[in-house]
Amino acid sequence: MFKNMAATMPGPEVLDCAGMTRADAFAVRQGVASLTLMERAGAGVAHAIMARWAPRPAAILCGPGNNGGDGYVIARLLRDAGWPVTVFSLGDVAALKGDAAHMAGLWTGAVKSLDSFKTERFALVVDALFGAGLSRLLDGMALKASRSLAERDCAVVAVDVPSGVNGDESGSEGACVKADLTVTFHRLKPAHLFHPARAACGEIIVVDIGIPDGWRQGAGALPEIVQLPGITLPDTGHDRAVHKHGKGRLCVLAGPPGATGAARLSAMAGLKAGAGLVTLLCPPASLMEAASASLAVMTKSIREDDFADTLSLHRPGALVIGPGAGLNETLKARVLAALSTGVQAVLDADALSVFADDPKALFAALHDRAVLTPHTGEFERLFPGLLDASASPLEAARAGSQQSGANVLLKGPATVIAHPDGRVAVNIHASGRLATAGSGDVLAGIIGALMAQGIAPFQAARSAAFLHGEAGYHLPPGGTAEDLLAVIPAALESLGREQERLLTLNRLGR
Ligand SMILES: NC(=O)C1=CN([C@@H]2O[C@H](COP(=O)(O)OP(=O)(O)OC[C@H]3O[C@@H](n4cnc5c(N)ncnc54)[C@H](O)[C@@H]3O)[C@@H](O)[C@H]2O)[C@@H](O)CC1
Ligand SMILES: [K+]
């Protein structure tokens, strides 16, 4: 029934700074000289610069560690290519150690003090002040330099991360350099993915510095970027043998009269994302409203008390509960009743907020067949203080999933999907056009539809985030959630085609 995606083809991992240090050390143990890694890192930055800008007066700001060492490589390669280059150093060059000292020794031009750096003399500035070794807020000359860069209209290229940004963290307490281009090495770091740090990076490219295969050994489950072909999509083919019941049954709980729109969006998204049969379970007072606004979606009146019985009657493959459901005790009871049946469930919006006063009651009932889909406000209600206490949304979602026992999909420009066993994925395939009312209801419906079709919850959530993101790219300007529904089939088709192409290439490559 599904295009069977190769689970053995994980996307590129996200590495924290400690993981990057371990990967570097592994390369060295395998016989790659650390100087070679630094030369490749600097060459990667220099080539990225030359691919984007013609020669122009360039300043290279070099710090006291290996990030500065990369800077000396960049200075040498740009100068060899005919660029007018001036190097500025934070601190005494004679104090450099190891590889950085070696690379500084290969730079035969002058080195000026960072104190004398004047932005207006340069059209391009390379920020090689601090990378993975940043251990405190910028101050002194580095702070002054970062401020003067912000005031001027020259191109800024950050080496590894903009100085002042900690590679592991999404936030920046103090000042940081604002770059137009950030060139990092081997793998993305959390700071490249999440705002506000991400906004300081500008365009981001990852350079392969030749760390040999095998670096993942002992690294545990690394966060992974969701990408094709590692997602699972419903079959978009024309197989005549399929029956609607065989394509998955999805139930969606409708809200009170006047508020059924959100659930209707989820239900319709479920159909568009391939569920064979979608039923809106309606409080009696909402039945007419829901039924009169639905064609392909079925509607069913439900009784006040026995939600578990209702579910056993309909036997859905998955349930979406929460969109527009209303913050009241009945909803709480229904969420707990649904969870007690073990049905696969997407808990969204009100189904999360309604437990703000007692998240533990929810956590006690949750299991790994459930997916919670909070935005940051809802996440904060369920896990007070966790976002602030975490280095990045990656860590927050991972901890939230482990605390709650359910899959957590934390929405944002970069959406994190975490499984209670520690697996984490990040979806960055998403258009800003998705930031429109009702977009989250559509996502909940897509996740539910994929689960109803037999895709395991964690994989359904990652795949749905990617498909929803793709649909965003098909949205016209000013597109609403209704328009988003309309483009889900086109998004499915284009992803299916691309998936097929990649798998064919993969087979041919073997
Ligand atoms: N380890 C490796 O093999 C490789 C490292 N590379 C580069 O090396 C970088 C990491 O190098 P390092 O670990 O030496 O770290 P950094 O070069 O980022 O900085 C470390 C130095 O800065 C000082 N420092 C930290 N924060 C400061 C602050 N706010 N104000 C003043 N001084 C501060 C530290 O005491 C230390 O002397 C990476 O970001 C990358 O650019 C690349 O060359 C690729 C290979
Ligand atoms: K930097």
Side-chain angles (χ1 to χ4, degrees):
M1 176 173 165
F2 303 111
K3 306 243 161 100
N4 193 14
M5 292 316 112
T8 51
M9 297 180 66
E13 303 80 357
V14 182
L15 270 186
D16 59 14
C17 294
M20 184 64 202
T21 303
R22 280 195 297 274
D24 285 334
F26 172 81
V28 171
R29 285 200 304 279
Q30 295 295 304
V32 184
S34 59
L35 268 179
T36 304
L37 295 174
M38 187 174 277
E39 183 71 25
R40 289 177 186 156
V45 181
H47 290 142
I49 291 171
M50 290 189 275
R52 285 163 181 76
W53 291 280
R56 60 197 58 208
I60 319 294
L61 316 185
C62 295
N66 287 333
N67 199 249
D70 296 347
Y72 287 99
V73 176
I74 298 162
R76 170 164 44 84
L77 297 178
L78 288 180
R79 186 200 53 192
D80 290 353
W83 284 55
V85 172
T86 311
V87 172
F88 295 88
S89 169
L90 173 64
D92 191 354
V93 186
L96 292 175
K97 295 194 183 69
D99 295 345
H102 182 94
M103 292 307 187
L106 294 183
W107 169 250
T108 52
V111 177
K112 299 185 175 180
S113 164
L114 187 60
D115 217 10
S116 64
F117 168 63
K118 298 259 185 316
T119 321
E120 57 269 28
R121 302 216 178 117
F122 302 96
L124 184 137
V125 176
V126 173
D127 158 30
L129 290 172
F130 302 108
L134 182 84
S135 51
R136 54 196 164 86
L137 300 185
L138 293 188
D139 58 11
M141 278 191 267
L143 180 62
K144 200 176 121 217
S146 85
R147 286 196 175 133
S148 74
L149 285 177
E151 285 160 11
R152 289 279 155 182
D153 187 23
C154 65
V156 177
V157 178
V159 179
D160 202 4
V161 283
S163 297
V165 167
N166 179 320
D168 290 345
E169 296 181 7
S170 52
S172 168
E173 274 176 54
C176 70
V177 168
K178 306 278 184 303
D180 299 291
L181 170 68
T182 295
V183 182
T184 191
F185 312 117
H186 184 55
R187 290 293 184 270
L188 289 170
K189 317 298 174 314
H192 300 127
L193 295 167
F194 301 104
H195 290 275
R198 199 256 163 271
C201 297
E203 182 192 358
I204 298 170
I205 63 170
V206 184
V207 166
D208 181 358
I209 56 170
I211 292 179
D213 284 346
W215 61 270
R216 292 181 191 81
Q217 278 165 20
L222 293 168
E224 165 233 338
I225 308 276
V226 182
Q227 61 174 9
L228 286 174
I231 62 168
T232 312
L233 296 171
D235 196 345
T236 47
H238 296 277
D239 182 359
R240 280 179 296 163
V242 294
H243 184 273
K244 66 184 177 188
H245 287 279
K247 288 176 70 186
R249 283 194 301 273
L250 175 69
C251 281
V252 180
L253 177 70
T260 62
R264 283 191 278 124
L265 282 171
S266 298
M268 201 58 201
L271 276 181
K272 299 269 186 186
L277 209 69
V278 179
T279 308
L280 270 169
L281 303 176
C282 303
S286 303
L287 185 68
M288 285 317 293
E289 176 180 315
S292 59
S294 308
L295 294 173
V297 171
M298 308 212 312
T299 47
K300 204 85 200 160
S301 179
I302 56 169
R303 297 220 310 269
E304 176 67 26
D305 42 3
D306 48 5
F307 197 57
D309 289 350
T310 303
L311 293 176
S312 60
L313 196 72
H314 288 276
R315 291 183 296 113
L319 168 74
V320 173
I321 185 164
L327 293 170
N328 52 51
E329 288 303 312
T330 310
L331 176 63
K332 241 186 196 178
R334 283 185 173 147
V335 170
L336 296 176
L339 291 171
S340 74
T341 68
V343 69
Q344 300 191 107
V346 181
L347 274 59
D348 188 38
D350 291 349
L352 305 172
S353 298
V354 77
F355 287 97
D357 59 346
D358 188 12
K360 290 210 171 80
L362 175 64
F363 300 165
L366 282 170
H367 44 68
D368 67 2
R369 293 160 65 77
V371 180
L372 315 183
T373 55
H375 53 56
T376 48
E378 288 155 354
F379 189 91
E380 178 62 24
R381 270 170 227 144
L382 285 186
F383 308 101
L386 185 53
L387 269 170
D388 278 349
S390 304
S392 74
L394 267 183
E395 295 315 319
R398 195 201 305 257
S401 177
Q402 282 167 349
Q403 273 180 38
S404 67
N407 297 278
V408 171
L409 180 146
L410 174 55
K411 292 182 249 193
T415 289
V416 185
I417 305 106
H419 187 283
D421 70 6
R423 278 177 288 162
V424 185
V426 187
N427 181 56
I428 51 174
H429 180 68
S431 153
R433 291 186 185 170
L434 289 171
T436 182
S439 169
D441 306 321
V442 172
L443 175 63
I446 299 175
I447 301 171
L450 299 192
M451 295 203 304
Q453 291 171 86
I455 303 173
F458 179 67
Q459 176 69 346
R462 346 169 25 265
S463 304
F466 196 89
L467 171 58
H468 183 250
E470 173 74 12
Y473 288 110
H474 291 252
L475 262 187
T480 64
E482 285 97 331
D483 300 320
L484 189 58
L485 290 176
V487 296
I488 293 172
L492 264 177
E493 186 154 58
S494 61
L495 288 186
R497 213 177 286 137
E498 181 61 8
Q499 185 100 292
E500 204 61 64
R501 193 183 69 80
L502 291 172
L503 289 172
T504 307
L505 281 179
N506 191 36
R507 272 193 297 271
L508 292 175
R510 278 210 213 113

